[in-house]
Amino acid sequence: MNIAIIGTGYVGLVTGACFAEVGYHVICVDCDARKIEHLQHGESPIYEPGLDDLVKRNAQAGRLRFTTSTQEAVEQSEVIFIAVPTPPLPDGGVDLSYIESVAREIAAHLDGYRIVVDKSTVPVRTAEKVAETIKRYGRNPIDIDVVSNPEFLREGFAVEDLMKPDRIVIGVGSDRPVAAMKAIYAPFDAPLIVTDTNSAELIKHAANSFLALKISYANALSAICEAAHADVKAVTQGMGLDRRIGTQFLNAGLGFGGSCFPKDLSAFIKISEQLGYDFRLLKEVQQINADQMRRFVKKITHALWVLKEKRIGVLGLAFKQNTDDIRTSPSLELCRQLLREGATLRVHDPKAMEKARVVLPEATFVEDANLVAEGCDALVIATEWPEFTRVDYAQARRTMRTPILFDGRNLLDPVEMKSLGFIYHSVGR
Ligand code: UDX
């Protein structure tokens, strides 16, 4: 099977590399010539565990190619995946201009039947629009099926999630593309749902919004636990062990960030509004997320009183562990607020330092996590990197001006930190 993937971002590149790994011939297309040149030299533009090896191995085996030519990809493939960005608009809606322009490009080069698959996260009814657009702009009589096949990859676990998915969703307008789509996913052992395109598109927004809702629920509980002198970790564990609820995505902390949840929530609220439904529940999810950051900053200012000229160490800059992605990172939002109040920052992240340097030029970047606390009035854990549980906190405490620790991800044991001499603050405990 020959497969084209248009767009080599997180989703497109990981999908292409994993499809090649199971034996398909994959052509990845991107309009960014520099990116394609790097990929042709076996250099992956993003940090994602396992991805570099997959790209190199499959490129060497001749199963994975990179090009800037959509024409080449369309002509040489039976199935074309669209994995281009769908960024947010100022009103919370979704900018579909990249999708539309790819649809027109595909139309310009079609020379026979193709299956066109939407992998990007898109509003409900986009597959219908893509089909209409391709038909309208095609020069020859057009014979296509447009399929919606949303991705559910977590950054930092994208290869693992693609190779071992919880489920595969295939949204179709007719039965014709079902056999080919099932064949593509046959090597990936997972339940497969075949439905209409609109339902498939809704599944993605519904799933991400529900996960964000779980996090906001835990964060709301954390506020109650603080007021009631209870432990949110115990409460969420006790809840989560009920199999109907589940323990995952119930970690209270600084709130959710990243390139998906904030954007997908706003989009789903907007889409619902356009469909005549006021999704107040999701508006509250956003509100709780914003409040959580405010409450955390208040905790810091309450303990340090004046932030001007205070030196604060920050462990973690990425929006979560296992990634170098800093887009909509709660940690960066926190850093900016602390800087605005006049604090000076010493920061560290295992993977995101290079990207963060560009957006936080005022901060001092420290290569060794163990040295971040030196001379600081407070140390903050802002990202849930497991590495931060292994910092030498006894030594860190000795080098601090005042030993105040704010654990924004509930990574550490409060009793142990207090026994090391820290004034220890966490979230909901
Ligand atoms: C998410 C979805 O999980 C994935 O299925 C979808 O395809 C893309 O969006 P991702 O953005 O990579 O993936 O991050 P995720 O692991 O879901 O975490 C999102 C944010 O929530 C992070 O900022 C993380 O720190 C936060 N989070 C997560 C919590 O605060 N508490 C939790 O319990 C879990």
Side-chain angles (χ1 to χ4, degrees):
M1 171 99 63
N2 293 323
I3 295 176
I5 314 263
I6 303 183
T8 57
Y10 267 100
V11 172
L13 185 56
V14 175
T15 307
C18 290
F19 280 172
E21 178 70 7
V22 298
Y24 303 127
H25 284 91
V26 180
I27 308 184
C28 289
V29 188
D30 205 288
C31 56
D32 182 342
R34 258 190 55 198
K35 199 189 224 183
I36 289 297
E37 208 184 307
H38 282 297
L39 284 163
Q40 284 166 339
H41 289 100
E43 295 157 23
S44 162
I46 48 167
Y47 168 74
E48 191 62 46
L51 184 61
D52 276 1
D53 280 353
L54 276 190
V55 170
K56 278 195 193 111
R57 190 168 54 242
N58 287 288
Q60 272 161 14
R63 286 190 301 266
L64 184 60
R65 286 188 292 137
F66 298 97
T67 177
T68 52
S69 165
T70 306
Q71 178 171 5
E72 186 187 333
V74 169
E75 284 174 359
Q76 296 179 17
S77 309
E78 291 131 78
V79 183
I80 303 159
F81 283 78
I82 304 177
V84 293
T86 49
L89 290 167
D91 70 351
V94 183
D95 177 356
L96 292 167
S97 57
Y98 296 104
I99 299 267
E100 198 257 0
S101 98
V102 167
R104 282 192 283 133
E105 266 188 84
I106 293 172
H109 304 301
L110 277 182
D111 54 2
Y113 175 68
R114 297 288 189 286
I115 299 174
V116 176
V117 186
D118 270 343
K119 209 158 223 345
S120 307
T121 300
V122 291
V124 61
R125 312 209 78 158
T126 299
E128 294 172 358
K129 294 270 183 236
V130 168
E132 267 171 45
T133 305
I134 296 177
K135 285 180 184 150
R136 195 171 336 123
Y137 284 90
R139 277 184 307 217
N140 310 311
I142 295 286
D143 188 17
I144 48 155
D145 280 304
V146 176
V147 173
S148 163
N149 170 221
E151 53 80 21
F152 302 99
L153 310 178
R154 292 163 302 164
E155 286 183 23
F157 304 90
V159 172
E160 192 184 317
D161 286 350
L162 207 135
M163 295 308 267
K164 290 186 212 126
D166 285 350
R167 78 308 210 176
I168 290 152
V169 174
I170 312 266
V172 291
S174 76
D175 287 341
R176 186 165 59 162
V178 173
M181 291 305 296
K182 281 188 174 171
I184 289 177
Y185 281 106
F188 306 91
D189 181 25
L192 192 138
I193 295 176
V194 178
T195 179
D196 59 283
T197 52
N198 292 337
S199 302
E201 287 161 345
L202 278 175
I203 286 170
K204 173 64 195 250
H205 274 124
N208 266 6
S209 300
F210 189 79
L211 290 170
L213 180 148
K214 272 189 100 173
I215 299 169
S216 277
Y217 192 84
N219 284 333
L221 286 177
S222 77
I224 294 167
C225 286
E226 281 171 20
H229 299 278
D231 180 344
V232 75
K233 272 200 154 178
V235 174
T236 50
Q237 196 200 8
M239 276 172 62
L241 287 174
D242 181 328
R243 268 173 298 179
R244 292 168 304 174
I245 297 173
T247 49
Q248 292 187 52
F249 278 73
L250 281 177
N251 295 324
L254 273 183
F256 57 78
S259 65
C260 292
F261 282 177
K263 169 182 93 124
D264 290 353
L265 262 181
S266 302
F268 203 25
I269 291 168
K270 190 79 198 167
I271 292 161
S272 306
E273 184 190 307
Q274 285 161 351
L275 292 168
Y277 182 74
D278 181 7
F279 217 144
R280 293 192 302 272
L281 179 63
L282 295 186
K283 291 178 182 168
E284 196 53 35
V285 169
Q286 290 180 315
Q287 193 58 49
I288 293 168
N289 202 48
D291 287 347
Q292 195 69 357
M293 177 62 74
R294 272 195 286 274
R295 290 196 320 111
F296 194 72
V297 173
K298 214 161 138 189
K299 239 178 242 180
I300 297 178
T301 46
H302 185 73
L304 296 182
W305 189 22
V306 173
L307 290 188
K308 194 159 173 261
E309 285 164 22
K310 291 279 158 62
R311 187 189 284 190
I312 301 178
V314 179
L315 288 170
L317 299 164
F319 83 97
K320 65 169 193 181
Q321 82 282 29
N322 276 335
T323 180
D324 65 348
D325 197 344
I326 54 169
R327 287 175 291 173
T328 330
S329 166
S331 169
L332 286 193
E333 170 59 25
L334 176 70
C335 288
R336 289 195 189 102
Q337 291 203 30
L338 298 176
L339 286 168
R340 266 203 302 276
E341 295 291 325
T344 57
L345 299 184
R346 287 169 61 76
V347 301
H348 169 85
D349 189 281
K351 291 285 173 204
M353 303 264 270
E354 205 181 308
K355 289 190 174 158
R357 266 197 182 96
V358 183
V359 292
L360 277 184
E362 312 91 327
T364 303
F365 285 76
V366 183
E367 291 302 325
D368 183 345
N370 287 297
L371 303 180
V372 171
E374 241 173 49
C376 285
D377 300 283
L379 180 64
V380 180
I381 299 177
T383 309
E384 62 272 46
W385 281 99
E387 282 88 332
F388 297 156
T389 59
R390 297 190 288 273
V391 165
D392 184 348
Y393 288 100
Q395 174 59 19
R397 187 219 167 287
R398 280 193 285 277
T399 64
M400 290 178 75
R401 195 142 62 180
T402 51
I404 311 178
L405 180 51
F406 297 94
D407 182 353
R409 295 291 176 180
N410 288 349
L411 277 192
L412 307 174
D413 177 9
V415 176
E416 193 188 332
M417 289 303 121
K418 279 176 194 158
S419 75
L420 290 179
F422 281 106
I423 301 166
Y424 176 80
H425 300 273
S426 54
V427 180
R429 294 191 295 172

